Amino acid sequence: MRRFTALRGATLTALALGTVLTAIPARAHTGRPPGIEHCTATACHFDVPPGTYDVTVRLGAATASATRVTGETRRTLLPETAVPAGEHVTRSFTVDVRTPEGEPTGPDGTPGLDLALGGSAPALEAIRVTPSGQTRRILLIGDSTVCDQPADPYSGWGQQLPQYLRKGLSVANHADSGESTVTYLRDPRLWAAVRPLIRPGDLVLVQLAHNDKTTDEATYRANLETLVAGIRDRGGEPVLVTPVVRRWFNADGTLDNGTALLVNGLGVDHPAVIRAVAAAEDVPLIDLTAKTKALVESLGPEASKALYLYNEKRDNTHTSVHGATVFAGLVRDELLARHLVPEGRVRV
């Protein structure tokens, strides 16, 4: 394994955006937070144990720059940030470091915290990583439309949500591809592993429906109630999220059909059941079905292709990075509108 070092405080301008991340051992017991010495022109690596960390970056260079920061399993942690020539800006965010670092049933990933520098003209002058303590967290329970997808062109909206949050609020994405309410509760790597992690005050967003294709209504309702009760038992605040729509248009340009609106083969209207459970259990509801339906219909059959993987995979269910970013923005808007997160912790 090669080791790269850089002068502390020097500007790092990425020359090759496709560079493979290279792990760089952090210096232990230095008495100061790890910083720029653990970065190359395109990546940083910090040998930290699992936990929640505050990251502060100073961006800018002698020439105009535009820097985006992603981390771990392709999570967007800081949106592309433009800085005029000769100027600098400081930005901070909080990141969840865990094992496995992506999907709970996936590979462990690389130990420690890995960050990648992207954007049209990335320039990092300084960086500091420190433990964040008892930062409030947003935990995500969901399926492939939510999870930290491991490879392009796929992306879940939970993978893009961190870029909308400031320091002091982190996302711990425990969504997993292919899961239904039945499998999420049954697999010991999922609910049984996630539930003990919930701390008092954590928000826990639950979006499970796409794979409940053979789940009857009574079972589906009971499974949602089990998740809600388990979150509350741990002191967390459950938030039920209706599923993103499938891009499945009628001839009249609407999505008013069971395929688009997640009605399964048994006639179970998943969004309707979620709304009913939220009302009965007095749980906050993010109606992402309604929000994404309105957006996709407004774009129409052609322009809406860019939100999904239609152009790459003829896939009308899974989202592109662009689509996941747009849908994550809808979630951000709903969190603010329902006063579930403080305005000062959210980028708008």
Side-chain angles (χ1 to χ4, degrees), residues 138-153:
I138 300 174
L139 278 71
L140 303 180
I141 291 172
D143 53 35
S144 58
T145 65
V146 184
C147 75
D148 288 348
Q149 291 280 0
D152 281 325

Side-chain angles (χ1 to χ4, degrees), residues 100-320:
E101 71 176 36
E103 296 177 89
T105 64
D108 285 351
T110 304
L113 170 60
D114 286 294
L115 303 175
L117 308 175
S120 57
L124 174 69
E125 185 187 62
I127 184 170
R128 183 178 64 181
V129 177
T130 56
S132 64
Q134 295 296 310
T135 298
R136 193 181 189 200
R137 300 176 304 171
I138 300 174
L139 278 71
L140 303 180
I141 291 172
D143 53 35
S144 58
T145 65
V146 184
C147 75
D148 288 348
Q149 291 280 0
D152 281 325
Y154 294 87
S155 182
W157 62 254
Q159 200 165 20
Q160 302 303 324
L161 185 60
Q163 67 186 292
Y164 293 113
L165 307 180
R166 301 181 189 275
K167 177 182 174 182
L169 186 61
S170 67
V171 174
N173 191 351
H174 297 279
D176 197 74
S177 291
E179 307 302 341
S180 65
T181 58
V182 174
T183 60
Y184 204 96
L185 287 169
R186 183 176 60 202
D187 192 323
R189 296 169 295 178
L190 298 171
W191 178 235
V194 174
R195 186 175 179 273
L197 302 177
I198 300 171
R199 301 191 306 233
D202 285 341
L203 279 181
V204 185
L205 276 57
V206 179
Q207 186 215 279
L208 286 167
H210 277 275
N211 300 300
D212 280 280
K213 298 174 183 178
T214 60
T215 309
D216 64 80
E217 183 169 337
T219 300
Y220 185 65
R221 180 185 295 267
N223 289 344
L224 292 175
E225 292 170 346
T226 296
L227 291 166
V228 167
I231 294 165
R232 284 176 165 164
D233 286 346
R234 294 289 302 171
E237 182 176 357
V239 179
L240 292 180
V241 184
T242 59
V244 299
V245 294
R246 296 189 180 99
R247 185 191 158 278
W248 198 266
F249 282 93
N250 296 326
D252 63 1
T254 70
L255 299 176
D256 296 322
N257 61 79
T259 299
L261 299 181
L262 282 297
V263 178
N264 74 9
L266 301 178
V268 179
D269 185 332
H270 293 103
V273 176
I274 295 169
R275 295 176 189 123
V277 172
E281 299 292 328
D282 193 24
V283 173
L285 173 74
I286 294 178
D287 199 340
L288 202 52
T289 304
K291 292 292 182 181
T292 54
K293 178 179 186 292
L295 174 62
V296 173
E297 286 182 341
S298 72
L299 291 173
E302 189 59 36
S304 64
K305 290 178 180 178
L307 297 173
Y308 294 84
L309 295 179
Y310 181 86
N311 294 323
E312 300 90 343
K313 302 285 186 179
R314 294 298 188 267
D315 185 334
N316 291 306
T317 298
H318 298 96
T319 47
S320 62

Side-chain angles (χ1 to χ4, degrees), residues 3-54:
R3 176 172 179 146
F4 295 84
T5 58
L7 294 176
R8 185 173 177 82
T11 298
L12 297 179
T13 303
L15 300 177
L17 299 183
T19 301
V20 176
L21 290 179
T22 304
I24 309 162
R27 299 172 185 171
H29 310 299
T30 61
R32 59 182 173 81
I36 199 75
E37 66 271 17
H38 304 295
C39 299
T40 69
T42 55
C44 303
H45 175 82
F46 302 94
D47 282 338
V48 295
T52 309
Y53 294 88
D54 293 331

